[in-house]
Amino acid sequence: MTIQELLPIVAEQKEEFLSEDFAGFCTREEEKQIDLKSHLAQVVIGVRRSGKSTLCRKVLREADVKAAYVNFDDERLEKAQTSDLNTILETLYIVYGDFHYLLLDEVQNIDGWPLFVNRLLRQKIHLIVTGSNAKLLSNELTTHLTGRHHKITLFPFSFAEYARIKQLDTQSLTTKGQAAVKRELNAYLMNGGLPELLTETDAQGYIMALLDAIIKRDITLRFKVRYPEVLQRLVTYLIDNFAQEYKATAIAELLGVSDHTIDTYCGYLQEAFLLLAVKKFSFKSRDRIRDSKIYVIDNAFISNRKNTFSTENYGWRLENTVYVELLHRACIRFADVFYYRDRSFEVDFVVAKDGAVEELYQVCYDMSNEKTRRREINLLLQGAKKFHCTNLTILTFDGQETITEGGFTIQVKPAQQWLVL
C-alpha cells in the first residue's frame, strides 16, 4: 500500500480517536493494569466487541499523552501485509507528527507484526496492542517478545460493571431496591454484558453478525478451515449445550467427522475467546487434559441466535455467569478454576492455587425445594472432605444463610451480592 492510499484511512481513524467522548463511560478494573510508564508492550486480548479498543483509547486520552492509533480491523487495510507496516508507520508520523505512544488495534490481522513491534520497542515507543486470538498472540509473543510484553485479558462487562452503568444501588436494603437488582440480574443472565448491546435495539442481528465475523474472519480464513459447515454446526451445538461436559467422540459421530477435527475446531473457538473450557480437577495432568466442560464467553451468544433452544434455563445461565466471573477473578490473582466429577459426586467449581484447593462453589438458581437444597449441600460437603477445603459457597438467585454441618460451614449467598463483591 502507498502513503497516498493510507493517508485518508489514518486521518479518518485519527478523527475518530480524538473526537470520542469518554465522559460517562464505565471505568473498568483492567484500566489500572495498563502501565503507560512501562517499556513493555501492553497487550490487551479478548473476544471481539468486548471493549478492548475503547479501553485502550480511554486510557491514552485520559493520560493526555502524545499518542497515535491504527485499527487493522478496517476493511480498507484488509490486504495490508508485513511489507506495508513501515509505510503505515511513516503515514502515522505524517498525520500525527511526533508521538511517544502507539495503539495497534487488532494487530494479529497482519503477518509479521511481532518483529515490527520489537523494532518499535527498541525505538523506545510505548506500545499498546490489542488482539482477538489467544493462541496466535501467545505463540508470537512467546517467540518474538519473550519478557518484553505484559498481557491483560479483557472480558465483556461483569455484572458489577453492568450494575454501575445501570446506576443500580446494589447495596439497597429496601424491597424495591432489591427487586430492581434482581430484575436486572435476570436481564443480565439473558442478555449478557457485551458493551454495545446495552444500546443496541436489534440484539439478534448484532450477535449473528458478530458470530459471523468470529467464525469466518477469526477462524475459517485465518486457519484455512477445511469444513466450514461443520464448524458452523459445531458452534451451534456447543452453545446450545453449554455448561456440559465436552465429548469429542459423540460430537464427531453426530457431525460425521473425526474426533481430531472436532478437537481442532473446538480449540479454534476457544482461541477466538467465544468458548471457554474448564478442565476437570485432578492431581494427575492426564485427567486435567482429557476432561473438560464448555462455557460461553457471554450469555448474549446463548440467547440472541436464530433457532436457539437454550433461552429458558436460568440455572445454566447463572452457572455460566459465575464461571466467567471466577475466571476473571482468577486471572487477576494467578489462580485456576476447575470442575470436579467422579462416580459418586461432582462440584461445579474448584478454585486452586499453587496446587492447593482454596475454594469450592456450587451454583443453584433455586434452592427452595428441600430435595434440591439437600443435594447441593451434600455435594459440597463431599468436596470439602475430599479436598480438605473449608471455604465453601453455594450461589443462588435468592436466599442467604449459613449452614454448619459435619464440621464444615457453608455460606449460601445470593448471586447479585456475590457478583458485585
Side-chain angles (χ1 to χ4, degrees), residues 405-417:
E405 188 173 325
F408 293 95
T409 299
I410 299 172
Q411 299 295 333
V412 179
K413 297 180 180 179
Q416 72 268 20
Q417 180 188 95

Side-chain angles (χ1 to χ4, degrees), residues 22 24-28 31 55 58 157 160-162 164-165:
F22 295 105
F25 272 49
C26 176
T27 298
R28 308 190 71 177
E31 293 178 29
L55 177 89
K58 181 174 182 286
F157 284 144
E161 290 169 330
Y162 175 91
R164 289 203 301 272
I165 293 168

Side-chain angles (χ1 to χ4, degrees), residues 106 127 229 315 385:
E106 297 293 352
L127 289 177
E229 72 286 351
K385 293 172 185 175

Side-chain angles (χ1 to χ4, degrees), residues 173-190:
L173 298 178
T174 69
T175 302
K176 183 178 180 180
Q178 291 184 23
V181 176
K182 291 174 184 177
R183 181 176 65 250
E184 291 296 343
L185 176 56
N186 262 343
Y188 181 83
L189 294 179
M190 285 298 296

Side-chain angles (χ1 to χ4, degrees), residues 189-190 236-242 296 299 301-305 307-314 316-317:
L189 294 179
M190 285 298 296
T236 300
Y237 177 86
L238 290 175
I239 296 179
D240 279 345
N241 293 277
F242 72 102
V296 186
N299 285 9
F301 292 107
I302 300 168
S303 306
N304 299 298
R305 295 172 297 121
N307 302 317
T308 179
F309 296 97
S310 305
T311 58
E312 298 303 325
N313 195 317
Y314 278 93
W316 285 0
R317 287 172 175 280

